[in-house]
Amino acid sequence: MKKNIALVGFMGAGKSAVGKVLAKRLAMDFVDLDAAIEEKEKRSIAQIFEESGEPYFRRIEKEVVKEFSGKEGQVLACGGGVVMDEENMARLKQSANLVYLKTSPEIILKRTQSYQHRPLLNVPDPKKKIEELLKIREPFYARADFTVDTSDKEIREIVEEILKRFAA
Ligand code: S3P
């Protein structure tokens, strides 16, 4: 097995919730890359987007991916856009087993509707935005080592499914 496990997928896929439980089960460290960015910047993701723009956020995101790809024994919950950058992808592929948590647009909409902290979905028609982004990103997420459909599953079930795949 490679040194880390990286969970990728769209916003609202459950990467952080699944990652925490998975890390505990495997006695690994859990790292939420968005939280690491916020800590580094001492401000929220929403503030970074608003004050410094998305390209700046992506630069910091890349630094954080590089930093944690250089360590071992971690479950990494990756921000939804991490896979769109070739260098991020190369670093993650090299240092981690990548698991794509796949979720339908309808469920993503339901899970993200009540939160305002995701600047990309803070738009008049979030459903359309989710569909557009998913269409572009799906081929990148699909480059993961394996995919788990999370749509109508509980966290516990998703974790079991991941553990089974690793044991196989
Ligand atoms: C983003 C997803 C967010 C966060 C930022 C951009 C994206 O992370 O990194 O708002 O481009 O999909 P989550 O997937 O953890 O919500």
Side-chain angles (χ1 to χ4, degrees):
M1 209 208 263
K2 281 187 205 155
K3 307 150 208 163
N4 296 319
I5 296 173
L7 303 178
V8 299
F10 208 78
M11 295 170 257
K15 293 162 289 182
S16 301
V18 169
K20 273 180 206 156
V21 178
L22 184 64
K24 212 171 211 169
R25 288 286 299 272
L26 293 169
M28 291 167 86
D29 294 327
F30 170 70
V31 179
D32 186 317
L33 294 185
D34 281 343
I37 292 169
E38 291 184 330
E39 200 169 307
K40 196 174 164 78
E41 283 286 304
K42 307 268 178 280
R43 51 189 177 149
S44 69
I45 303 285
Q47 272 175 307
I48 300 172
F49 267 75
E50 200 182 304
E51 296 165 3
S52 308
E54 185 174 349
Y56 177 85
F57 169 78
R58 298 296 173 199
R59 258 202 334 268
I60 306 300
E61 184 174 56
K62 200 177 216 166
E63 285 173 19
V64 167
V65 168
K66 187 175 176 189
E67 180 186 339
F68 287 96
S69 297
K71 300 179 186 177
E72 299 181 9
Q74 318 155 103
V75 175
L76 304 173
C78 300
V82 158
V83 297
M84 301 303 293
D85 180 277
E86 278 304 322
E87 282 179 51
N88 285 345
M89 203 59 175
R91 285 193 179 112
L92 289 172
K93 276 259 174 197
Q94 209 213 345
S95 60
N97 287 285
L98 258 71
V99 181
Y100 170 27
L101 301 187
K102 190 179 165 106
T103 312
S104 70
E106 294 73 27
I107 296 208
I108 290 170
L109 182 68
K110 227 163 63 192
R111 288 192 194 151
T112 54
Q113 236 166 7
S114 48
Y115 301 103
Q116 299 301 312
H117 68 271
R118 291 187 171 98
L120 291 179
L121 300 182
N122 229 342
V123 292
D125 189 351
K127 185 167 185 280
K128 191 165 156 243
K129 184 77 182 174
I130 290 168
E131 284 165 356
E132 281 170 7
L133 280 177
L134 254 185
K135 204 167 156 205
I136 297 169
R137 290 179 174 184
E138 176 70 32
F140 294 86
Y141 293 139
R143 289 165 70 191
D145 296 294
F146 63 87
T147 299
V148 176
D149 198 309
T150 71
S151 293
D152 39 30
K153 290 187 194 129
E154 307 216 352
I155 305 292
R156 190 178 38 81
E157 291 176 87
I158 301 165
V159 170
E160 289 307 326
E161 210 170 312
I162 296 172
L163 289 171
K164 245 187 240 156
R165 293 293 295 260
F166 280 124

